[in-house]
Amino acid sequence: MASFITDDQSAVPCISLHDFTERRAEIIEQLMDASTRIGFFTLENHGIPAEQIQDAFALSQQFFPLPDEVKSKTPLNGKNMGWEKGAQIRPSTGTADQKESMQLQFARMQGMWPSDDDLPGFRARAESFMSTVQQLSVKVMECFAEGLGLPLDTFTNGTVDPGVGDSQSTLRLLHYHSVEGKEFGNNFWRAGSHADFDVLTMLFQRDGEGGLEVCPGREVVGDFGHGNTWTNVEARSDRIVCNIGDQLMRWSDDRLKSTFHRVRLPNKGEPTGPRYSMAFFNQARSDVVIQGPEKKYPPITGAEFIRQALERNKLGMSAQSSAASGRSDKQPHSDAHDAVAAPRTVSVN
């Protein structure tokens, strides 16, 4: 079977969480090293049962084949929840990501869950997986708090809803379309280059469904700069890919790096079928104040941070569109249009 070509993985460290309590100091050192240098790492021996991950992927594979008119009963609503198809435009490309996604949150989801008539048990299975991933996230975020010299519960209180309904954390189920028999222009991607807006992202992949690439080199939160070297991250079902988001980069006074990443289309000889992944974004709660220990940046709430990030993306989109106007090499071949027909929107992460 053909597989995605994978570079040397030394650039993206793998950190084992085995014997977590006994090895806590060592794990904190490894997490801080990876996150100050690269902003990406993978976790193994993380404690989430393989069966639960497989069930979440099965849920995703049951949802996306539903007719669009069924999925569109819960459309992306401007609050980072709901279903979209070909609607995410990156400032880095100006073209639609070749995917569809379903975004789920803990709070404010009234009327946004697929009904039991359309997909029985969807909510219960999704919320169970979300809770499990959030629990693991808390362990990792407490390590970052200790490594940064902040109170241990800084990011737990900052992201986990205490019962007031202000959580912004999001699970995104992702289905990248098959590209078999299709050709695209040079500027088309399964997911264009971007940095995440959150505190910490945990990404689940399936064996052999690769294409994720990272590019370290960003020094200041909020800019669009990065280095020149893109490194493949191997798709393995037994590892969780983690990356620092812009909120944590700001919260750490730029010590921890929120790194640009993308998902490329398959190269010649690589699998061209669909790609499934699941990303859990630990977002700062709406009213929580983000400010680092050195106060490099003024205080900002989680809600205002997201609003400003979206505004920067809109400005980046405008600049990219102006620069690209009149360049025919940005246009797709005719057989790519089906996957691109959607409103031009920019959404979180």
Side-chain angles (χ1 to χ4, degrees), residues 87-224:
Q88 190 161 23
I89 313 292
R90 307 289 184 181
S92 60
T93 65
T95 58
D97 285 353
Q98 303 301 295
K99 64 171 176 59
E100 60 180 324
S101 67
M102 180 62 172
Q103 299 175 108
L104 309 167
Q105 296 189 11
F106 291 107
R108 303 185 299 274
M109 283 287 291
Q110 293 80 4
M112 296 302 295
W113 292 103
S115 72
D116 281 339
D117 289 338
D118 293 327
L119 188 52
F122 182 96
R123 177 175 181 175
R125 291 164 67 187
E127 287 185 327
S128 175
F129 182 67
M130 292 163 66
S131 295
T132 298
V133 180
Q134 187 178 60
Q135 290 168 20
L136 176 61
S137 300
V138 164
K139 290 177 65 174
V140 175
M141 290 188 293
E142 286 181 347
C143 289
F144 282 126
E146 186 170 335
L148 291 167
L150 294 169
L152 195 65
D153 60 359
T154 297
F155 306 123
T156 305
N157 289 341
T159 61
V160 179
D161 180 6
V164 298
D166 65 347
S167 171
Q168 297 191 105
S169 292
T170 303
L171 174 67
R172 177 179 291 173
L173 306 178
L174 291 147
H175 169 222
Y176 298 91
H177 308 295
S178 169
V179 297
E180 186 173 358
K182 296 181 180 180
E183 296 181 10
F184 297 84
N186 294 330
N187 211 39
F188 280 78
W189 303 81
R190 278 181 158 170
S193 173
H194 65 283
D196 293 344
F197 294 166
D198 62 339
V199 174
L200 177 70
T201 303
M202 290 195 167
L203 176 72
F204 298 80
Q205 302 184 98
R206 303 199 306 176
D207 293 336
E209 295 182 1
L212 176 63
E213 299 179 324
V214 304
C215 185
R218 194 164 177 233
E219 296 298 329
V220 179
V221 69
D223 68 15
F224 291 107

Side-chain angles (χ1 to χ4, degrees), residues 12-18 23 26-35 40-46 239-240:
V12 179
C14 180
I15 299 171
S16 175
L17 299 186
H18 73 277
R23 298 178 54 246
E26 176 189 355
I27 290 170
I28 291 174
E29 182 179 357
Q30 292 175 351
L31 289 170
M32 291 296 293
D33 176 69
S35 300
F40 262 79
F41 53 91
T42 64
L43 296 177
E44 64 179 3
N45 302 313
H46 46 71
R239 292 181 180 176
I240 303 172

